[in-house]
Amino acid sequence: MAKNFYREEHKSEPAHYTFGSSWFYRFLTRHGIETSLYNPQDALQLNAATEHNVSNFFQRLARTAVSNGFATWNSEFDANDKSSEMIIWDEDKKNRVFTFDEAKVMLAYEKGVRGVKILAIKDEDNRRMSVTANDEFAASVMGCRNFAGEALAPYFVCTKEPKIEDGFEIPGTIIDTTTGACQQAQWVRGSKRGSFDGFAFATWLKDHLAPCIPDLSPENPAVVICDGCYAHTINEVLEICTTMGILMVILPPHCTHILQGEDLYHFGVFKGAFRVERAEIEAMKQLAAAWFIKFFNSGVATSFGQREFWYAIKEAWKGA
């Protein structure tokens, strides 16, 4: 469109450098035009995160907690005081109240990167090293914590069979009642997308969450707080929760950005640390490739594979 406009104005073809990468922004500035990026998710969050919906969620959580013996009503609660608490939690029951969420982690450096980024050709004048990356492998990780501050070990659903070295562990800070020791990470092969479907989530509930809740039963329940993802609310999952004694409190739609701790803090810290670890590993591999080029006068491409991927995950998880 810009080239057509140029031809009409100047009656000639534009030079190859006329429309560079910064031309569009210079055009906007010159004509006083402002732009903004429209994200439909922003509109959904704005319309959903109303005072009514947020208040309704906390009231539902409070009623569930009080009616099941996790808390008592605070007679001094002041609705006009933001620091005032609606209920008083039983300190001995906080380890039975959980919040969790899933996040996607990619073997590729960024979503959509496929195959080899750069290949160095032997004997070319500008020999280079590179680190290859692909998105053939990905995993979703479940992060979960209770109100007492204890964290479950991560639980991974992978696109294909994970390659885990012997002795490789990512521990949680909560005790697994079946072993009497800190819970360890688990890996399972899931769907082609490596996402939590209903089956993977139900398996996590039975094999990963339940063993960390002492004497779990309908008479001695636990509370879990989560978003309304389809996998969390299918009939099979709800039946499992009823049978085991798990009381599920669902967050209002499109409000996780203000109500879900994993979104607000834990996964933010984890993903930032993961990117740093990944970049450091890439830098070390580039140094090794540079040494190879120097002594063997040949181009080389090194690989960021599952071994490096899981190491970066482990180091990032420590701080989150």
Side-chain angles (χ1 to χ4, degrees), residues 31-291:
H31 294 280
I33 301 173
E34 294 183 358
T35 63
S36 61
L37 180 64
Y38 174 72
N39 185 348
Q41 185 66 23
D42 294 339
L44 290 172
Q45 292 178 345
L46 181 64
N47 293 328
T50 63
E51 182 178 352
H52 170 77
N53 286 345
V54 173
S55 175
N56 177 266
F57 162 71
F58 283 113
Q59 290 176 23
R60 286 190 290 112
L61 177 60
R63 288 195 297 269
T64 300
V66 172
S67 62
N68 290 278
F70 291 88
T72 56
W73 294 108
N74 183 4
S75 59
E76 298 181 358
F77 172 65
D78 182 359
N80 297 316
D81 181 1
K82 292 184 178 181
S83 64
S84 182
E85 298 182 356
M86 187 184 303
I87 58 176
I88 300 174
W89 290 94
D90 183 337
E91 293 295 328
D92 293 333
K93 293 290 186 72
K94 282 187 174 182
N95 64 347
R96 302 180 74 84
V97 183
F98 295 84
T99 177
F100 63 82
D101 192 27
E102 304 94 333
K104 193 72 170 284
V105 283
M106 309 286 289
L107 179 61
Y109 284 84
E110 298 297 340
K111 218 169 186 177
V113 175
R114 294 181 181 275
V116 175
K117 294 195 295 184
I118 303 173
L119 275 179
I121 302 173
K122 183 178 180 181
D123 298 328
E124 70 174 6
D125 292 336
N126 57 333
R127 294 179 297 277
R128 304 180 304 275
M129 64 284 189
S130 67
V131 176
T132 64
N134 62 71
D135 59 2
E136 292 180 358
F137 179 84
S140 290
V141 55
M142 179 74 80
C144 180
R145 290 167 174 76
N146 61 27
F147 277 20
E150 299 170 315
L152 272 69
Y155 186 92
F156 299 95
V157 175
C158 308
T159 54
K160 58 179 64 175
E161 197 65 34
K163 299 175 182 177
I164 308 299
E165 294 182 343
D166 292 341
F168 184 86
E169 297 178 343
I170 308 178
T173 60
I174 196 168
I175 298 299
D176 186 328
T177 59
T178 61
T179 64
C182 284
Q183 188 186 51
Q184 294 293 335
Q186 293 187 46
W187 290 264
V188 298
R189 182 177 179 179
S191 64
K192 291 182 178 179
R193 297 180 61 187
S195 302
F196 275 84
D197 54 15
F199 175 79
F201 179 65
T203 304
W204 176 81
L205 282 173
K206 294 183 292 184
D207 297 346
H208 205 66
L209 175 63
C212 294
I213 308 174
D215 305 317
L216 179 65
S217 70
E219 295 72 36
N220 190 23
V223 174
V224 297
I225 303 167
C226 61
D227 59 51
C229 167
Y230 172 76
H232 301 164
T233 57
I234 60 175
N235 290 336
E236 292 83 353
V237 167
L238 298 179
E239 290 172 2
I240 289 172
C241 289
T242 300
T243 301
M244 291 196 303
I246 293 177
L247 307 173
M248 189 176 290
V249 180
I250 303 296
L251 294 165
H254 310 297
C255 292
T256 58
H257 64 295
I258 62 172
L259 294 176
Q260 193 170 63
E262 284 71 29
D263 267 8
L264 289 169
Y265 180 76
H266 299 301
F267 278 134
V269 173
F270 165 70
K271 287 183 177 180
F274 175 65
R275 293 189 187 100
V276 171
E277 290 293 335
R278 196 171 55 182
E280 289 181 351
I281 293 172
E282 180 184 24
M284 287 188 290
K285 282 186 166 288
Q286 286 182 334
L287 287 173
W291 178 88

